Amino acid sequence: MAEQRSDVISWDEFFMRVAFAAKLRSKDPNTQVGACIADTDHRILSVGYNGTPHAITDEAFPWGDSDDPLNDKHSYVIHAEANAILNFRGSLKDMQGATVYVTLFPCHECAKLLVQAGVGEVVYLDDKYAGTMDNLISKRTLDSCGVTYRKVQMPHGLS
Ligand SMILES: O=c1ccn([C@H]2C[C@H](O)[C@@H](COP(=O)(O)O)O2)c(=O)[nH]1
Ligand SMILES: [Zn+2]
């Protein structure tokens, strides 16, 4: 009888790899973010990454930081989590209690969107803005709304 495989990746690893693949599509030179939303039956509901509104071309887009909001990328980028919610083609009731896998801890604006979309859990890879005001607001929002969050374990790595 064939031996059973012992190195099968977990659901957490699988969905985080999907989120990681999504972030590879991002044109942001500084921070690429991917998000994958999976339901409680381990089905992928949607995927997104941080990018421009569809009619704005990469060439026309200011991909840098600037004190001038007109020339600052943050004024224009749609966040990975927002794109994942917008890309979802099903009914929002199917997203109740879903888990979002994100390569970067969600900002406070995304935290609000995820709560309102019904997501019940956030699993993140990196929390590089931990301790910033935005990050504290995000965590307070999630805590207040009963959305749990945890850092993913990737025993097989990401390659
Ligand atoms: O919740 C989040 C927070 C940020 N992003 C995106 C938005 C930007 O494209 C980058 C952040 O750029 P920095 O140069 O690190 O400020 O990440 C997101 O998709 N989701
Ligand atoms: Zn965000």
Coordinates of all heavy atoms in Angstrom, one line a residue, residues 10-105:
S10 N -1.2 22.8 5.4 CA -2.5 23.1 6.1 C -3.3 24.0 5.3 O -2.9 24.7 4.3 CB -2.2 23.7 7.5 OG -1.6 25.0 7.3
W11 N -4.6 24.1 5.7 CA -5.5 25.1 5.0 C -4.9 26.5 5.2 O -4.9 27.3 4.3 CB -6.9 25.1 5.6 CG -7.7 23.9 5.1 CD1 -8.2 22.9 5.9 CD2 -8.1 23.6 3.8 NE1 -8.8 22.0 5.1 CE2 -8.8 22.4 3.8 CE3 -7.9 24.2 2.6 CZ2 -9.4 21.8 2.7 CZ3 -8.5 23.7 1.4 CH2 -9.2 22.5 1.5
D12 N -4.4 26.8 6.4 CA -3.8 28.1 6.6 C -2.7 28.4 5.6 O -2.6 29.5 5.1 CB -3.2 28.2 8.0 CG -4.3 28.6 9.1 OD1 -5.4 28.8 8.7 OD2 -3.9 28.7 10.3
E13 N -1.8 27.4 5.5 CA -0.7 27.6 4.6 C -1.2 27.8 3.1 O -0.7 28.6 2.4 CB 0.3 26.4 4.6 CG 1.1 26.4 5.9 CD 1.9 25.1 5.9 OE1 1.4 24.0 6.3 OE2 3.1 25.2 5.6
F14 N -2.2 27.0 2.8 CA -2.7 27.0 1.4 C -3.3 28.4 1.1 O -2.9 29.1 0.1 CB -3.8 26.0 1.2 CG -4.5 26.0 -0.1 CD1 -3.8 25.8 -1.3 CD2 -5.8 26.3 -0.2 CE1 -4.5 25.8 -2.5 CE2 -6.5 26.3 -1.4 CZ -5.8 26.1 -2.6
F15 N -4.2 28.9 2.0 CA -4.8 30.2 1.7 C -3.8 31.4 1.8 O -3.9 32.3 1.0 CB -6.0 30.4 2.6 CG -7.1 29.4 2.4 CD1 -7.7 28.7 3.5 CD2 -7.6 29.2 1.1 CE1 -8.7 27.8 3.3 CE2 -8.7 28.3 0.9 CZ -9.2 27.6 2.0
M16 N -2.8 31.2 2.7 CA -1.8 32.3 2.7 C -1.0 32.3 1.5 O -0.5 33.3 1.0 CB -1.0 32.2 4.0 CG -0.1 33.4 4.2 SD -1.0 35.0 4.3 CE -1.6 34.9 6.0
R17 N -0.7 31.1 0.9 CA 0.0 31.1 -0.3 C -0.7 31.7 -1.5 O -0.2 32.3 -2.4 CB 0.4 29.6 -0.7 CG 1.6 29.1 0.1 CD 1.8 27.6 -0.2 NE 2.9 27.0 0.6 CZ 3.9 26.4 0.0 NH1 3.9 26.1 -1.2 NH2 4.8 25.9 0.8
V18 N -2.1 31.5 -1.5 CA -2.9 32.2 -2.5 C -2.8 33.7 -2.3 O -2.6 34.5 -3.3 CB -4.4 31.7 -2.4 CG1 -5.3 32.5 -3.3 CG2 -4.5 30.2 -2.7
A19 N -2.9 34.2 -1.0 CA -2.8 35.6 -0.8 C -1.4 36.1 -1.2 O -1.3 37.2 -1.8 CB -3.0 35.9 0.7
F20 N -0.4 35.3 -1.0 CA 1.0 35.7 -1.3 C 1.1 35.8 -2.9 O 1.8 36.7 -3.4 CB 2.0 34.7 -0.7 CG 3.4 35.2 -0.7 CD1 3.9 36.0 0.3 CD2 4.2 34.9 -1.8 CE1 5.2 36.5 0.3 CE2 5.5 35.4 -1.8 CZ 6.0 36.2 -0.8
A21 N 0.5 34.8 -3.5 CA 0.5 34.9 -5.0 C -0.1 36.1 -5.5 O 0.3 36.8 -6.5 CB -0.1 33.6 -5.6
A22 N -1.3 36.5 -4.9 CA -2.0 37.7 -5.3 C -1.1 38.9 -5.2 O -1.1 39.8 -6.0 CB -3.3 37.8 -4.5
K23 N -0.4 39.0 -4.1 CA 0.4 40.2 -3.9 C 1.5 40.4 -4.9 O 2.0 41.5 -5.2 CB 1.0 40.3 -2.4 CG 2.4 39.6 -2.3 CD 2.9 40.0 -0.9 CE 4.4 39.7 -0.9 NZ 5.1 40.3 0.2
L24 N 1.9 39.3 -5.6 CA 2.9 39.4 -6.6 C 2.4 40.2 -7.8 O 3.2 40.6 -8.7 CB 3.4 38.0 -7.0 CG 4.0 37.1 -5.9 CD1 4.4 35.7 -6.4 CD2 5.2 37.8 -5.3
R25 N 1.1 40.4 -7.9 CA 0.5 41.2 -9.0 C 0.5 42.7 -8.7 O 0.3 43.5 -9.6 CB -1.0 40.8 -9.2 CG -1.2 39.4 -9.8 CD -1.1 39.4 -11.3 NE -1.8 40.4 -11.9 CZ -1.5 41.0 -13.0 NH1 -0.4 40.7 -13.7 NH2 -2.2 42.0 -13.5
S26 N 0.8 43.0 -7.5 CA 0.8 44.5 -7.1 C 1.9 45.2 -7.7 O 3.1 44.8 -7.8 CB 0.9 44.6 -5.6 OG 1.0 46.0 -5.2
K27 N 1.6 46.5 -8.2 CA 2.6 47.3 -8.8 C 3.2 48.3 -7.8 O 4.1 49.1 -8.1 CB 2.0 48.2 -9.9 CG 1.1 47.4 -10.9 CD 1.8 46.4 -11.8 CE 0.9 45.8 -12.8 NZ -0.3 45.1 -12.3
D28 N 2.8 48.2 -6.5 CA 3.3 49.1 -5.5 C 4.8 48.8 -5.3 O 5.1 47.7 -4.9 CB 2.5 49.0 -4.2 CG 2.9 50.1 -3.2 OD1 4.1 50.4 -3.1 OD2 2.0 50.6 -2.5
P29 N 5.7 49.7 -5.5 CA 7.1 49.4 -5.4 C 7.5 49.2 -3.9 O 8.6 48.6 -3.7 CB 7.8 50.6 -6.0 CG 6.8 51.7 -5.9 CD 5.5 51.1 -6.0
N30 N 6.8 49.7 -3.0 CA 7.2 49.6 -1.6 C 6.5 48.5 -0.8 O 7.2 47.7 -0.1 CB 6.9 51.0 -0.8 CG 7.6 51.0 0.5 OD1 8.8 50.7 0.7 ND2 6.8 51.4 1.5
T31 N 5.2 48.4 -0.9 CA 4.5 47.4 -0.1 C 3.5 46.7 -1.0 O 2.5 47.4 -1.5 CB 3.8 48.1 1.1 OG1 4.8 48.7 1.9 CG2 3.1 47.0 1.9
Q32 N 3.6 45.5 -1.2 CA 2.7 44.7 -2.0 C 1.8 43.9 -1.0 O 2.4 43.3 0.0 CB 3.4 43.7 -3.0 CG 4.3 44.3 -3.9 CD 5.7 44.5 -3.4 OE1 6.2 43.6 -2.7 NE2 6.4 45.6 -3.6
V33 N 0.5 43.9 -1.2 CA -0.4 43.2 -0.2 C -1.3 42.3 -1.0 O -1.9 42.7 -2.1 CB -1.2 44.2 0.6 CG1 -2.0 43.5 1.7 CG2 -0.3 45.3 1.2
G34 N -1.5 41.1 -0.5 CA -2.5 40.2 -1.1 C -3.5 39.7 0.0 O -3.2 39.7 1.2
A35 N -4.7 39.5 -0.4 CA -5.8 39.0 0.5 C -6.5 37.9 -0.2 O -6.8 37.9 -1.4 CB -6.7 40.2 0.8
C36 N -6.9 36.9 0.6 CA -7.7 35.7 0.1 C -8.7 35.5 1.2 O -8.4 35.3 2.4 CB -6.8 34.5 -0.1 SG -7.7 33.0 -0.4
I37 N -10.0 35.5 0.8 CA -11.1 35.2 1.7 C -11.6 33.8 1.5 O -11.9 33.4 0.4 CB -12.2 36.2 1.5 CG1 -11.7 37.7 1.6 CG2 -13.3 36.0 2.5 CD1 -12.7 38.8 1.3
A38 N -11.6 33.0 2.6 CA -12.1 31.7 2.5 C -13.3 31.5 3.5 O -13.3 32.0 4.6 CB -10.9 30.7 2.9
D39 N -14.2 30.7 3.0 CA -15.4 30.5 3.9 C -15.1 29.3 4.9 O -14.0 28.7 4.9 CB -16.7 30.3 3.1 CG -16.8 28.9 2.4 OD1 -15.9 28.0 2.6 OD2 -17.7 28.8 1.6
T40 N -16.1 29.1 5.7 CA -15.9 28.1 6.8 C -15.8 26.6 6.3 O -15.5 25.7 7.0 CB -17.1 28.2 7.8 OG1 -18.3 28.2 7.1 CG2 -17.0 29.5 8.6
D41 N -16.1 26.4 5.0 CA -16.0 25.1 4.4 C -14.7 25.0 3.5 O -14.6 24.2 2.7 CB -17.2 24.8 3.5 CG -18.4 24.6 4.3 OD1 -18.3 24.0 5.4 OD2 -19.5 25.0 3.8
H42 N -13.8 26.0 3.8 CA -12.5 26.0 3.1 C -12.6 26.2 1.6 O -11.8 25.7 0.8 CB -11.7 24.7 3.4 CG -11.5 24.5 4.8 ND1 -11.7 23.3 5.5 CD2 -11.0 25.3 5.8 CE1 -11.4 23.4 6.8 NE2 -11.0 24.6 7.0
R43 N -13.6 27.0 1.2 CA -13.7 27.4 -0.2 C -13.3 28.8 -0.3 O -13.6 29.7 0.5 CB -15.2 27.2 -0.7 CG -15.6 25.8 -0.8 CD -17.0 25.7 -1.3 NE -18.0 26.3 -0.3 CZ -19.1 25.8 0.1 NH1 -19.5 24.6 -0.5 NH2 -19.9 26.3 0.9
I44 N -12.5 29.1 -1.4 CA -12.1 30.4 -1.7 C -13.2 31.3 -2.2 O -13.9 30.9 -3.2 CB -10.9 30.5 -2.7 CG1 -9.6 29.9 -2.0 CG2 -10.6 31.9 -3.1 CD1 -8.4 29.8 -2.9
L45 N -13.5 32.4 -1.5 CA -14.6 33.2 -2.0 C -14.1 34.3 -2.9 O -14.8 34.7 -3.9 CB -15.3 33.9 -0.8 CG -16.0 33.0 0.2 CD1 -16.6 33.8 1.4 CD2 -17.0 32.1 -0.5
S46 N -12.9 34.8 -2.6 CA -12.4 35.9 -3.4 C -10.9 36.2 -3.1 O -10.4 35.8 -2.0 CB -13.2 37.2 -3.1 OG -12.9 38.2 -4.0
V47 N -10.3 36.9 -4.0 CA -8.8 37.3 -3.8 C -8.7 38.7 -4.3 O -9.4 39.2 -5.2 CB -8.0 36.3 -4.7 CG1 -6.5 36.7 -4.8 CG2 -8.2 34.9 -4.3
G48 N -7.7 39.4 -3.7 CA -7.4 40.8 -4.2 C -6.0 41.2 -3.8 O -5.3 40.5 -3.0
Y49 N -5.6 42.2 -4.4 CA -4.3 42.8 -4.1 C -4.4 44.3 -4.3 O -5.3 44.9 -4.8 CB -3.1 42.3 -5.0 CG -3.3 42.5 -6.5 CD1 -2.8 43.6 -7.1 CD2 -4.0 41.5 -7.3 CE1 -3.0 43.8 -8.5 CE2 -4.1 41.7 -8.6 CZ -3.6 42.9 -9.2 OH -3.8 43.1 -10.6
N50 N -3.4 45.1 -3.7 CA -3.5 46.5 -3.7 C -3.1 47.0 -5.1 O -2.1 46.6 -5.7 CB -2.6 47.2 -2.6 CG -1.1 46.7 -2.7 OD1 -0.9 45.5 -3.0 ND2 -0.2 47.5 -2.3
G51 N -4.0 47.8 -5.6 CA -3.8 48.3 -7.0 C -4.6 49.6 -7.3 O -5.4 50.0 -6.5
T52 N -4.4 50.0 -8.5 CA -5.1 51.2 -9.0 C -6.6 51.0 -9.4 O -6.9 49.8 -9.8 CB -4.4 51.8 -10.2 OG1 -4.3 50.8 -11.2 CG2 -3.0 52.3 -9.8
P53 N -7.4 52.0 -9.3 CA -8.7 51.8 -10.0 C -8.5 51.5 -11.4 O -7.5 51.9 -12.0 CB -9.3 53.2 -9.8 CG -8.6 53.8 -8.7 CD -7.2 53.3 -8.7
H54 N -9.4 50.7 -12.0 CA -9.1 50.0 -13.3 C -8.7 51.0 -14.5 O -8.0 50.6 -15.4 CB -10.2 49.0 -13.7 CG -11.4 49.7 -14.2 ND1 -12.4 50.1 -13.3 CD2 -11.8 50.1 -15.4 CE1 -13.4 50.6 -14.0 NE2 -13.1 50.6 -15.3
A55 N -9.3 52.2 -14.4 CA -9.1 53.1 -15.6 C -7.8 53.9 -15.4 O -7.4 54.6 -16.4 CB -10.2 54.0 -15.7
I56 N -7.1 53.8 -14.3 CA -5.8 54.5 -14.2 C -4.7 53.6 -14.5 O -4.5 52.5 -14.0 CB -5.6 55.0 -12.7 CG1 -6.8 55.9 -12.3 CG2 -4.3 55.7 -12.5 CD1 -6.7 56.5 -10.9
T57 N -3.9 54.0 -15.5 CA -2.8 53.2 -16.0 C -1.6 53.4 -15.0 O -1.4 54.4 -14.3 CB -2.3 53.6 -17.4 OG1 -1.9 55.0 -17.3 CG2 -3.5 53.5 -18.4
D58 N -0.7 52.4 -15.0 CA 0.5 52.4 -14.1 C 1.3 53.7 -14.4 O 1.9 54.3 -13.5 CB 1.3 51.2 -14.4 CG 0.7 50.0 -13.8 OD1 -0.3 50.1 -13.1 OD2 1.1 48.9 -14.1
E59 N 1.4 54.0 -15.7 CA 2.2 55.2 -16.1 C 1.7 56.5 -15.5 O 2.5 57.4 -15.2 CB 2.3 55.3 -17.6 CG 3.0 54.1 -18.4 CD 2.1 52.9 -18.5 OE1 0.9 53.1 -18.7 OE2 2.6 51.8 -18.3
A60 N 0.4 56.6 -15.5 CA -0.2 57.8 -15.0 C -0.3 57.9 -13.5 O -0.7 58.9 -12.9 CB -1.7 57.9 -15.6
F61 N 0.1 56.8 -12.8 CA -0.1 56.7 -11.4 C 1.2 57.1 -10.6 O 2.3 56.7 -10.9 CB -0.5 55.3 -11.1 CG -1.0 55.1 -9.7 CD1 -2.3 55.6 -9.3 CD2 -0.2 54.6 -8.7 CE1 -2.7 55.5 -8.1 CE2 -0.7 54.4 -7.4 CZ -2.0 54.9 -7.1
P62 N 1.0 58.0 -9.6 CA 2.2 58.4 -8.7 C 2.4 57.3 -7.7 O 1.8 57.2 -6.7 CB 1.7 59.7 -8.1 CG 0.2 59.6 -8.0 CD -0.2 58.7 -9.2
W63 N 3.4 56.4 -8.0 CA 3.6 55.3 -7.1 C 4.5 55.6 -5.9 O 4.9 54.8 -5.1 CB 4.2 54.1 -7.8 CG 3.2 53.2 -8.5 CD1 3.1 53.0 -9.8 CD2 2.2 52.4 -7.8 NE1 2.0 52.1 -10.0 CE2 1.5 51.8 -8.8 CE3 1.8 52.3 -6.5 CZ2 0.4 50.9 -8.6 CZ3 0.8 51.4 -6.2 CH2 0.1 50.8 -7.2
G64 N 4.8 56.9 -5.7 CA 5.6 57.3 -4.6 C 4.8 57.9 -3.4 O 3.6 58.1 -3.5
D65 N 5.5 58.2 -2.3 CA 4.9 58.9 -1.2 C 5.1 60.4 -1.4 O 6.1 60.8 -2.0 CB 5.5 58.5 0.1 CG 5.3 57.1 0.5 OD1 4.4 56.5 -0.2 OD2 5.9 56.6 1.4
S66 N 4.1 61.2 -1.0 CA 4.3 62.7 -1.1 C 3.5 63.4 -0.1 O 2.5 62.9 0.4 CB 3.9 63.1 -2.5 OG 3.8 64.5 -2.6
D67 N 4.0 64.5 0.4 CA 3.2 65.3 1.3 C 2.0 65.9 0.6 O 1.1 66.4 1.3 CB 4.1 66.4 2.0 CG 5.1 65.9 2.9 OD1 4.9 64.7 3.4 OD2 6.2 66.5 3.1
D68 N 2.1 66.0 -0.7 CA 1.0 66.6 -1.5 C 0.0 65.4 -1.8 O 0.4 64.5 -2.6 CB 1.6 67.1 -2.8 CG 0.5 67.5 -3.8 OD1 -0.7 67.5 -3.4 OD2 0.9 67.8 -4.9
P69 N -1.2 65.4 -1.3 CA -2.1 64.3 -1.5 C -2.4 64.0 -2.9 O -2.6 62.9 -3.3 CB -3.4 64.8 -0.7 CG -2.9 65.8 0.2 CD -1.7 66.5 -0.4
L70 N -2.3 65.1 -3.8 CA -2.5 64.8 -5.2 C -1.5 63.9 -5.8 O -1.7 63.3 -6.9 CB -2.5 66.2 -5.9 CG -3.8 66.9 -6.2 CD1 -3.6 68.1 -7.0 CD2 -4.8 65.9 -6.9
N71 N -0.3 63.9 -5.2 CA 0.8 63.1 -5.8 C 1.3 62.0 -4.9 O 2.4 61.5 -5.0 CB 2.0 64.0 -6.1 CG 1.7 64.9 -7.3 OD1 1.3 64.4 -8.4 ND2 1.8 66.2 -7.1
D72 N 0.4 61.6 -4.0 CA 0.7 60.5 -3.0 C -0.1 59.3 -3.4 O -1.3 59.3 -3.6 CB 0.3 61.0 -1.6 CG 0.6 59.9 -0.6 OD1 1.3 59.0 -0.9 OD2 0.1 60.1 0.6
K73 N 0.6 58.2 -3.5 CA -0.1 56.9 -4.0 C -1.2 56.5 -3.0 O -2.2 55.9 -3.5 CB 0.9 55.7 -4.0 CG 1.4 55.3 -2.6 CD 2.3 54.1 -2.7 CE 2.7 53.7 -1.3 NZ 3.6 52.6 -1.2
H74 N -1.1 56.9 -1.7 CA -2.1 56.4 -0.8 C -3.5 57.0 -1.1 O -4.5 56.5 -0.6 CB -1.7 56.8 0.7 CG -0.4 56.1 1.1 ND1 0.8 56.7 0.9 CD2 -0.2 54.9 1.6 CE1 1.8 55.9 1.4 NE2 1.2 54.8 1.8
S75 N -3.5 58.2 -1.8 CA -4.8 58.8 -2.2 C -5.5 57.9 -3.2 O -6.7 58.1 -3.3 CB -4.5 60.2 -2.8 OG -3.8 61.0 -1.9
Y76 N -4.8 57.1 -3.9 CA -5.4 56.4 -5.1 C -5.6 54.9 -5.0 O -6.5 54.3 -5.6 CB -4.6 56.8 -6.3 CG -4.5 58.2 -6.6 CD1 -3.4 58.9 -6.1 CD2 -5.5 58.9 -7.2 CE1 -3.3 60.3 -6.4 CE2 -5.4 60.3 -7.5 CZ -4.3 61.0 -7.0 OH -4.2 62.3 -7.2
V77 N -4.7 54.3 -4.2 CA -4.6 52.8 -4.2 C -5.9 52.2 -3.5 O -6.3 52.7 -2.5 CB -3.4 52.3 -3.4 CG1 -3.5 50.9 -3.1 CG2 -2.1 52.6 -4.2
I78 N -6.4 51.2 -4.2 CA -7.5 50.4 -3.5 C -6.8 49.3 -2.8 O -5.9 48.5 -3.4 CB -8.4 49.8 -4.6 CG1 -9.0 51.0 -5.4 CG2 -9.6 49.0 -3.9 CD1 -9.9 50.5 -6.6
H79 N -7.1 49.1 -1.5 CA -6.4 48.1 -0.7 C -6.8 46.7 -1.1 O -7.8 46.5 -1.6 CB -6.6 48.4 0.8 CG -5.9 49.7 1.3 ND1 -5.8 50.0 2.6 CD2 -5.3 50.6 0.6 CE1 -5.1 51.1 2.7 NE2 -4.8 51.5 1.5
A80 N -5.8 45.8 -0.8 CA -6.0 44.4 -1.1 C -7.4 43.8 -0.6 O -8.1 43.1 -1.3 CB -4.9 43.6 -0.6
E81 N -7.6 44.2 0.7 CA -8.8 43.6 1.3 C -10.1 44.2 0.7 O -11.1 43.5 0.5 CB -8.8 44.0 2.8 CG -7.6 43.5 3.6 CD -6.4 44.4 3.6 OE1 -6.2 45.2 2.6 OE2 -5.7 44.4 4.6
A82 N -10.0 45.5 0.4 CA -11.2 46.1 -0.3 C -11.4 45.5 -1.7 O -12.5 45.2 -2.1 CB -11.0 47.6 -0.4
N83 N -10.3 45.3 -2.4 CA -10.5 44.6 -3.7 C -11.0 43.2 -3.6 O -11.8 42.7 -4.4 CB -9.1 44.6 -4.4 CG -8.9 45.8 -5.3 OD1 -9.9 46.3 -5.9 ND2 -7.7 46.3 -5.5
A84 N -10.6 42.5 -2.5 CA -11.1 41.1 -2.3 C -12.6 41.2 -2.1 O -13.3 40.3 -2.6 CB -10.3 40.4 -1.2
I85 N -13.0 42.1 -1.3 CA -14.5 42.2 -1.0 C -15.2 42.6 -2.3 O -16.2 42.0 -2.7 CB -14.8 43.2 0.1 CG1 -14.2 42.7 1.4 CG2 -16.3 43.6 0.2 CD1 -14.2 43.7 2.6
L86 N -14.6 43.6 -3.1 CA -15.3 44.0 -4.3 C -15.3 43.0 -5.4 O -16.2 42.9 -6.2 CB -14.6 45.3 -4.8 CG -14.8 46.6 -4.0 CD1 -13.8 47.6 -4.4 CD2 -16.2 47.1 -4.2
N87 N -14.3 42.1 -5.4 CA -14.2 41.0 -6.4 C -15.1 39.9 -6.1 O -15.3 39.0 -7.0 CB -12.7 40.5 -6.5 CG -11.8 41.5 -7.1 OD1 -12.2 42.4 -7.8 ND2 -10.5 41.3 -6.8
F88 N -15.6 39.8 -4.9 CA -16.5 38.7 -4.6 C -17.8 38.8 -5.4 O -18.4 39.8 -5.5 CB -16.8 38.8 -3.1 CG -17.8 37.7 -2.6 CD1 -17.5 36.4 -2.8 CD2 -18.9 38.1 -1.8 CE1 -18.4 35.4 -2.4 CE2 -19.7 37.1 -1.3 CZ -19.5 35.8 -1.6
R89 N -18.2 37.6 -6.0 CA -19.3 37.6 -6.9 C -20.6 36.9 -6.3 O -21.6 36.8 -6.9 CB -19.0 36.9 -8.2 CG -18.1 37.7 -9.1 CD -18.9 38.9 -9.6 NE -18.0 39.9 -10.3 CZ -17.5 40.9 -9.7 NH1 -17.6 41.2 -8.4 NH2 -16.7 41.8 -10.4
G90 N -20.4 36.5 -5.0 CA -21.6 35.8 -4.4 C -22.4 36.8 -3.5 O -22.3 38.0 -3.6
S91 N -23.2 36.2 -2.7 CA -24.0 36.9 -1.8 C -23.2 37.2 -0.5 O -22.6 36.2 0.0 CB -25.3 36.1 -1.5 OG -25.9 36.5 -0.3
L92 N -23.4 38.4 0.1 CA -22.6 38.7 1.3 C -22.9 37.8 2.5 O -22.1 37.6 3.4 CB -22.9 40.1 1.7 CG -21.8 41.2 1.2 CD1 -22.1 42.5 1.9 CD2 -20.4 40.7 1.3
K93 N -24.1 37.1 2.4 CA -24.4 36.2 3.5 C -23.4 35.0 3.5 O -23.2 34.4 4.6 CB -25.8 35.8 3.6 CG -26.3 34.9 2.5 CD -27.8 34.5 2.8 CE -28.5 33.8 1.7 NZ -27.9 33.4 0.5
D94 N -22.9 34.7 2.4 CA -21.9 33.6 2.3 C -20.5 34.0 2.9 O -19.7 33.1 3.1 CB -21.7 33.2 0.8 CG -23.0 32.6 0.2 OD1 -23.8 32.1 1.0 OD2 -23.1 32.8 -1.0
M95 N -20.4 35.3 3.2 CA -19.1 35.7 3.8 C -19.1 35.8 5.3 O -18.1 36.0 5.9 CB -18.7 37.1 3.2 CG -17.2 37.3 3.1 SD -16.7 38.9 2.4 CE -16.8 38.6 0.7
Q96 N -20.3 35.5 5.8 CA -20.5 35.6 7.3 C -19.5 34.5 8.0 O -19.6 33.3 7.6 CB -21.9 35.3 7.7 CG -22.9 36.3 7.1 CD -22.4 37.8 7.1 OE1 -22.3 38.3 8.2 NE2 -22.2 38.3 6.0
G97 N -18.7 35.0 8.8 CA -17.8 34.1 9.6 C -16.6 33.6 8.8 O -15.8 32.8 9.2
A98 N -16.4 34.2 7.6 CA -15.3 33.8 6.7 C -14.0 34.3 7.4 O -13.9 35.1 8.3 CB -15.4 34.4 5.3
T99 N -12.9 33.7 6.8 CA -11.5 34.1 7.3 C -10.8 34.8 6.1 O -10.9 34.4 5.0 CB -10.7 32.8 7.7 OG1 -11.4 32.2 8.8 CG2 -9.3 33.2 8.1
V100 N -10.2 35.9 6.5 CA -9.4 36.6 5.5 C -7.9 36.4 5.8 O -7.5 36.5 6.9 CB -9.7 38.1 5.4 CG1 -9.4 38.9 6.6 CG2 -9.0 38.8 4.2
Y101 N -7.2 35.9 4.7 CA -5.8 35.7 4.8 C -5.1 36.9 4.2 O -5.4 37.2 3.0 CB -5.4 34.4 4.1 CG -5.9 33.2 4.9 CD1 -7.2 32.8 4.7 CD2 -5.0 32.5 5.8 CE1 -7.7 31.7 5.5 CE2 -5.5 31.4 6.5 CZ -6.8 31.0 6.3 OH -7.3 29.9 7.1
V102 N -4.3 37.6 4.9 CA -3.7 38.8 4.4 C -2.2 38.8 4.6 O -1.7 38.3 5.7 CB -4.3 40.1 5.1 CG1 -5.6 40.5 4.4 CG2 -4.4 40.0 6.6
T103 N -1.5 39.3 3.7 CA 0.0 39.3 3.8 C 0.5 40.4 4.7 O 1.6 40.4 5.2 CB 0.7 39.3 2.5 OG1 0.3 40.5 1.8 CG2 0.4 38.1 1.6
L104 N -0.4 41.4 4.9 CA -0.1 42.5 5.8 C -1.3 42.8 6.7 O -2.5 42.8 6.2 CB 0.2 43.8 5.0 CG 0.5 45.1 5.8 CD1 1.8 45.0 6.6 CD2 0.6 46.3 4.9
F105 N -1.1 43.0 8.0 CA -2.2 43.3 8.9 C -3.1 44.4 8.3 O -2.6 45.5 7.9 CB -1.7 43.6 10.3 CG -2.8 43.5 11.3 CD1 -2.9 42.3 12.1 CD2 -3.7 44.5 11.6 CE1 -3.9 42.2 13.0 CE2 -4.7 44.3 12.5 CZ -4.8 43.2 13.2

